[in-house]
């Protein structure tokens, strides 16, 4: 059971990264938070320069939040790769115990 953990960790990391890579990207336009949607609706009801600046600021905040989210996700993926590589290295290149040497009988 103890030798199974590294293999499970490696498989889990590979499956998670593959699913993330293959996941469809449907929100490529702009990440919209509820605050941004409210600012856009407020601007559409009564357009003004102040409300337009508010919409621009909310969009900027959404983009920064999206960038930080992606950076953290990338860092976690790198950490997962390091852990998987460590376990793979440990599993593949185990230190082998030297065989006990037989004493020669009759040799003095």
């Amino acid at each position: 059971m103890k030798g199974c953990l590294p293999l499970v960790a490696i498989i889990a990391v590979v499956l998670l990264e593959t699913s993330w890579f293959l996941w469809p990207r449907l929100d490529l336009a702009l990440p919209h938070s509820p605050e941004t949607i409210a600012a856009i609706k407020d601007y559409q009801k009564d357009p003004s320069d102040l409300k337009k600046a508010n919409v621009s600021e909310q969009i900027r905040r959404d983009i920064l939040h999206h960038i930080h989210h992606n950076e953290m996700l990338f860092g976690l993926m790198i950490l997962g790769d390091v852990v998987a590589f460590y376990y793979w290295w440990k599993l593949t290149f185990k230190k082998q115990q030297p065989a006990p040497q037989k004493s020669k009988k009759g040799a003095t």
Side-chain angles (χ1 to χ4, degrees), residues 28-102:
L28 291 178
L30 281 177
H32 291 299
S33 67
E35 293 85 8
T36 304
I37 293 172
I40 290 171
K41 286 181 180 178
D42 191 33
Y43 176 72
Q44 288 173 344
K45 287 179 187 175
D46 184 29
S48 70
D49 289 337
L50 181 63
K51 291 181 182 180
K52 186 176 182 179
N54 187 23
V55 169
S56 297
E57 178 63 20
Q58 287 297 333
I59 290 174
R60 185 189 68 78
R61 287 182 186 172
D62 279 352
I63 291 170
L64 283 177
H65 175 75
H66 194 65
I67 288 170
H68 291 305
H69 177 266
N70 286 343
E71 288 172 349
M72 289 186 340
L73 183 63
F74 184 70
L76 287 173
M77 289 173 75
I78 294 294
L79 179 66
D81 287 342
V82 167
V83 168
F85 183 74
Y86 170 76
Y87 279 127
W88 172 79
W89 187 271
K90 230 176 127 176
L91 187 66
T92 305
F93 301 107
K94 287 184 179 178
K95 288 185 180 178
Q96 296 186 3
Q97 298 287 337
Q101 295 190 3
K102 296 180 183 178

